[in-house]
Amino acid sequence: MALRNIVVEGDECLNKVCRPVTAFGPRLHQLLDDMCDTLAEANGAGLAAPQVGVLRRCCLVLDERTESYVELINPTIVSASGEQTGLEGCLSVPGKWGIVTRPYKVKVRAQDRFGNWFELEREELTARAFCHELEHLDGHLFVEHIDHFLTDEELRTYLEEEEGE
Ligand code: ZN
């Protein structure tokens, strides 16, 4: 198990457009394995390579349906529909939360760690995570979508309302 350091907002790695992954060998596999360990340790819903200082187009997203991490290499969104508005945070913006509107259902096309292309369609939190992680690969953070971070009071109210549903 190898943990990598997660960079935080202000680090220039988070503002760069990442390059495509072109080599699907041991180095990529080591990166993905380390990212998986790092994400599990942080108990997050997703992690993109630039968050560990690697400017390549790959990320991990927690797939709620299988309760496992799916590896997305060179991912693109091929279709998106509907809308959801909800709480969003980021391991690179620790302890801060905002309300972000995203598509409800998103289909991504990506390569696996061996270079094989596949498509995956998901809704709700996994769809939200697809959008969030793919934006990291183009140097964008969720904070660009919000007008303010939730106050502790707002966060508490939001979570209470969620629980009540
Ligand atoms: Zn993030």
Side-chain angles (χ1 to χ4, degrees), residues 4 15 25 124 155:
R4 299 217 182 183
N15 305 119
E124 299 185 339
L155 180 61

Side-chain angles (χ1 to χ4, degrees), residues 51 90-91 132-133 136:
Q51 292 181 274
C90 178
L91 294 174
H132 179 116
E133 297 312 323
H136 272 300

Side-chain angles (χ1 to χ4, degrees), residues 6-63:
I6 298 176
V7 301
V8 296
E9 198 184 6
D11 189 299
E12 62 176 20
C13 288
L14 297 174
N15 305 119
K16 296 270 168 70
V17 175
C18 297
R19 297 182 301 276
V21 172
T22 52
F24 294 82
R27 232 182 125 172
L28 174 68
H29 298 176
Q30 186 65 59
L31 170 66
L32 292 168
D33 290 344
D34 290 354
M35 284 173 62
C36 185
D37 291 341
T38 305
L39 181 55
E41 174 79 11
N43 200 22
L47 185 68
Q51 292 181 274
V52 295
V54 178
L55 297 177
R56 289 286 179 176
R57 304 190 76 82
C58 60
C59 61
L60 268 68
V61 168
L62 178 64
D63 183 354

Side-chain angles (χ1 to χ4, degrees), residues 151-163:
T151 63
D152 290 346
E153 179 66 32
E154 286 172 328
L155 180 61
R156 207 175 308 127
T157 304
Y158 179 90
L159 293 174
E160 280 168 10
E161 281 172 2
E162 280 282 287
E163 233 161 62

Side-chain angles (χ1 to χ4, degrees), residues 105-137:
K105 186 190 277 191
V106 173
K107 185 193 281 185
V108 291
R109 182 170 190 268
Q111 286 166 286
D112 67 15
R113 61 165 59 200
F114 305 105
N116 304 306
W117 288 97
F118 65 97
E119 288 187 349
L120 197 62
E121 187 172 57
R122 291 291 185 265
E123 307 85 31
E124 299 185 339
L125 290 179
T126 308
R128 173 179 295 282
F130 284 161
C131 297
H132 179 116
E133 297 312 323
L134 265 66
E135 282 184 353
H136 272 300
L137 305 181

